[in-house]
Amino acid sequence: MFGPDSQFHRFFDDPRWALAMVRATVLEAAHPQIGAALIDNSTFVAHPWRRLRNTLVSLQRMFGADEQVRQREAARLNRLHTRISGTDARNRPYDAMDPQVRAWVVATLFESAVTMCRLSGQPLDQATMERLYAEFRAFLAALGDQTGQLPPTLPEFWRYYDRMVEEELENTEALRIVLYKLFDHLPAPPLLGGLPTVWAAGRALAGPVIGTITVASLPEPFRRRAGLPEVPGARTLMQSAYLAAGLARFLPDDWLRTEDLTNLLYLSADSDDPRAATLGALSARVKRAGALFRLVTPFPAPRPPADRNAPRRSADEFFTAVLDQTGDGYLDWPDLAAMARELSSRLDLDEPQETRLYDAYAQWWRELQSALDTDGDGRVSKDEYAAAVPSLAGPALIRVAEVLFDATDADGDGFIDAEEYRALFRTAFARTPTGPDPRYPRGAFVQDFLSFMSGRRPSTPFDPLLADA
């Protein structure tokens, strides 16, 4: 059911999978509970590339051949989902551990995989479809859920799927964001961060196309009930896109590895990856082409990226880039929980270290709420933050820094060495040694973290950790 011989593994590096993942995400977001959880807790709006990478890494772990890795990832996902619950705008409860909700997530992945094959002119035969369905039911079982939440046979599954589409799905706010806002405002990945004009032009063209293709691929009963627009020629465009993506299977295998492509998007100019030098030279040429492009197009030139050598950045910039992780314009507990979640994922923490980090962030949130929430609405606005706090370096934030250091210092020797540094920052050890020992001591780490989080000073390692898209 898992590993390189699984049907899912064959799909994972398939270019069509990108279209299928967007489609599955829309169907998930249309579920009232999932849509509410995404709006309240997810970083998919403010940090979509980070969210994509974490999702792909998780799927690789769950469908890989190593059973121990799968069990650790399942336990991590369950801990993450246990922390996500609440009520939506209509006061309806949601819970990320609801077995029926989790089953629907798996169902959308399976159905979208089947649909992508059909739309690209390569429909799955019955035996392959049944095997793929069995793999996704095994995925649900690996999470600890009863497989009975998904019907045991394919005919029963299609009846279940049709009922969910016709009775349960809604035109949620999360769905509208994915279809009509996310791609129109998608920030550039680190690789293209220095090419804002080129990225903006490409996004302006590709965003509406992706939205149109996705809407056209959704089940017709749901499109009608949700009032999603029918764009003339949309189905032809959709089928052409899936057919074109399917033709990419004739490219060399090493060109299409999802892991390699994702890592490539995360390369930055100061990366120690050997590919960074080549990409840097290519980027310089594209920048020169971009300057010419601006002369002949009506697109306004975006603001240049912030100067990392600037002594400070504004409170508004810091609030938007770092504190407001969910992108809703406010600072509240889900934003700090998202920080803890990202750091725990990077370091692949187990209990009890993960809980210690969450608890430290929870304590910091209580301190922030007490000091900054002047109107008592349970969250902190940009104005409240800018007006009330010249510095955030209170005892609770110091505790966050200390707990993060302990989690990064895997061998417990009181220093962060090169391997531990890479685990957290995903780049080579960047500190300039002041003596014979190039390791990162506890005091320096805590001071740098506090300077970044409270002094609002740009930091080469910490910015990609919490601020990049």
Side-chain angles (χ1 to χ4, degrees):
M1 295 297 176
F2 302 105
D5 293 329
S6 67
Q7 185 63 45
F8 174 83
H9 191 273
R10 298 186 183 95
F11 284 149
F12 191 75
D13 293 327
D14 191 321
R16 297 172 298 175
W17 187 243
L19 296 172
M21 283 286 288
V22 174
R23 183 180 184 278
T25 300
V26 170
L27 289 170
E28 292 170 22
H31 190 287
Q33 284 202 56
I34 299 173
L38 286 172
I39 289 296
D40 289 349
N41 299 275
S42 179
T43 62
F44 79 104
V45 173
H47 304 277
W49 296 107
R50 192 173 77 192
R51 178 75 164 77
L52 171 64
R53 179 171 184 161
N54 290 343
T55 299
L56 293 175
V57 168
S58 181
L59 285 172
Q60 280 186 313
R61 290 172 176 174
M62 289 300 298
F63 278 95
D66 193 318
E67 179 63 24
Q68 288 186 332
V69 170
R70 181 160 42 255
Q71 291 178 359
R72 290 187 75 238
E73 180 62 13
R76 186 190 72 83
L77 289 173
N78 287 334
R79 291 195 304 271
L80 184 156
H81 290 152
T82 299
R83 297 184 172 101
I84 298 177
S85 61
T87 56
D88 66 10
R90 295 165 57 182
N91 207 34
R92 296 177 298 183
Y94 65 81
D95 185 347
M97 285 298 289
D98 185 320
Q100 295 181 359
V101 171
R102 284 152 66 96
W104 176 245
V105 172
V106 177
T108 63
L109 291 171
F110 166 73
E111 189 275 340
S112 292
V114 173
T115 298
M116 82 175 186
C117 293
R118 175 174 56 81
L119 292 178
S120 57
Q122 303 168 48
L124 298 178
D125 59 61
Q126 187 67 19
T128 302
M129 196 184 307
E130 289 180 350
R131 171 170 178 156
L132 181 64
Y133 184 56
E135 291 173 4
F136 276 103
R137 293 186 81 231
F139 171 43
L140 192 62
L143 290 172
D145 292 14
Q146 295 182 356
T147 56
Q149 296 297 334
L150 286 177
T153 67
L154 267 179
E156 292 174 293
F157 170 81
W158 294 120
R159 289 194 293 271
Y160 154 81
Y161 177 81
D162 290 341
R163 180 185 63 79
M164 291 291 295
V165 167
E166 293 174 5
E167 300 178 6
E168 298 293 334
L169 302 192
E170 300 176 0
N171 189 351
T172 64
E173 180 183 358
L175 177 146
R176 293 190 296 272
I177 288 176
V178 174
L179 287 177
Y180 305 120
K181 179 180 177 182
L182 181 60
F183 293 109
D184 286 346
H185 299 84
L186 188 68
L191 174 64
L192 301 176
L195 303 169
T197 302
V198 174
W199 175 257
R203 181 182 60 193
L205 297 173
V209 171
I210 295 173
T212 299
I213 290 170
T214 304
V215 169
S217 71
L218 296 176
E220 185 177 353
F222 175 66
R223 291 204 315 269
R224 288 199 309 267
R225 189 158 50 85
L228 298 177
E230 294 280 353
V231 178
R235 292 196 62 81
T236 301
L237 177 64
M238 171 196 67
Q239 291 175 331
S240 299
Y242 275 96
L243 285 170
L247 292 175
R249 70 187 186 278
F250 295 112
L251 296 173
D253 290 342
D254 56 354
W255 286 23
L256 299 176
R257 292 192 59 197
T258 299
E259 183 179 5
D260 291 343
L261 292 174
T262 305
N263 290 336
L264 189 64
L265 287 174
Y266 268 80
L267 279 182
S268 58
D270 57 354
S271 172
D272 58 301
D273 191 298
R275 295 172 295 180
T278 302
L279 289 170
L282 178 61
S283 176
R285 293 186 179 183
V286 175
K287 283 182 180 179
R288 290 195 292 269
L292 177 61
F293 183 81
R294 286 195 297 272
L295 295 176
V296 297
T297 62
F299 292 105
R303 290 185 303 172
D307 181 8
R308 287 186 178 274
N309 295 320
R312 294 179 75 86
R313 55 182 159 192
S314 71
D316 184 81
E317 290 173 334
F318 179 72
F319 187 99
T320 300
V322 178
L323 296 180
D324 183 15
Q325 290 283 304
T326 59
D328 64 354
Y330 292 90
L331 170 63
D332 53 12
W333 166 240
D335 296 302
L336 271 64
M339 295 184 198
R341 185 165 64 243
E342 173 62 17
L343 296 171
S344 298
S345 298
R346 282 188 176 231
L347 296 172
D348 197 18
L349 298 183
D350 282 329
E351 291 280 21
Q353 284 184 316
E354 183 184 277
T355 298
R356 286 185 66 213
L357 188 61
Y358 271 90
D359 288 347
Y361 268 100
Q363 184 177 348
W364 186 37
W365 168 237
R366 288 191 291 270
E367 184 179 273
L368 289 173
Q369 191 177 25
S370 175
L372 305 183
D373 181 19
T374 56
D375 60 8
D377 65 350
R379 56 188 183 178
V380 177
S381 68
K382 286 184 183 180
D383 292 339
E384 287 175 328
Y385 166 73
V389 88
S391 172
L392 296 179
L397 183 58
I398 295 173
R399 176 61 178 162
V400 171
E402 292 175 339
V403 171
L404 180 58
F405 178 88
D406 291 340
T408 308
D409 178 21
D411 57 12
D413 66 351
F415 294 89
I416 293 176
D417 61 27
E419 182 177 351
E420 294 163 345
Y421 189 96
R422 179 177 286 279
L424 179 62
F425 295 113
R426 290 178 180 157
T427 189
F429 193 84
R431 293 183 60 80
T432 301
T434 57
D437 190 349
R439 296 177 298 175
Y440 202 173
R442 183 188 190 90
F445 178 91
V446 171
Q447 182 178 1
D448 289 348
F449 183 83
L450 294 178
S451 176
F452 171 69
M453 291 299 298
S454 63
R456 302 191 295 273
R457 298 182 185 278
S459 164
T460 299
F462 283 106
D463 264 344
L465 187 63
L466 294 173
D468 274 3

